[in-house]
Amino acid sequence: MKKELTPRQLILKSRFYRFFGLIFAAVGLFIFIFIFAYSFKGDVFLATKEPMAIMIVIIPFLPACILSWIGGLAEKKAITMLEKTANSS
């Protein structure tokens, strides 16, 4: 059976996921710049004609979005747990 986490643990988990989300966003930015410069030679108008350009924008930032989303869920759960304990006291 899964052990219920305390609000403190959930907040730490949230901060952990958000921190690594920022790291992945920074790495994703560098990957995006590299792929964009390599594939389209820096030409923005050429990138608008290619449908693959949308994937080049989305894929490097996908891990950062997922980690931030998971962090947000953990933070919301911690807030609801804290509100329940405040209301019961």
Side-chain angles (χ1 to χ4, degrees), residues 12-83:
L12 288 174
K13 182 178 175 181
S14 170
R15 301 288 179 209
F16 176 78
Y17 282 130
R18 296 267 172 120
F19 175 72
F20 277 101
L22 287 174
I23 290 174
F24 273 81
V27 171
L29 180 65
F30 288 119
I31 291 172
F32 166 73
I33 291 170
F34 176 75
I35 291 173
F36 185 78
Y38 180 76
S39 298
F40 301 111
K41 314 283 188 276
D43 188 9
V44 177
F45 295 112
L46 179 63
T48 58
K49 294 178 185 177
E50 288 286 328
M52 192 65 174
I54 295 171
M55 296 304 291
I56 289 173
V57 171
I58 292 174
I59 289 176
F61 297 106
L62 197 58
C65 293
I66 292 171
L67 286 173
S68 293
W69 178 66
I70 293 171
L73 291 177
E75 188 173 357
K76 285 180 186 178
K77 190 173 180 180
I79 289 171
T80 56
M81 288 178 76
L82 288 172
E83 286 175 348

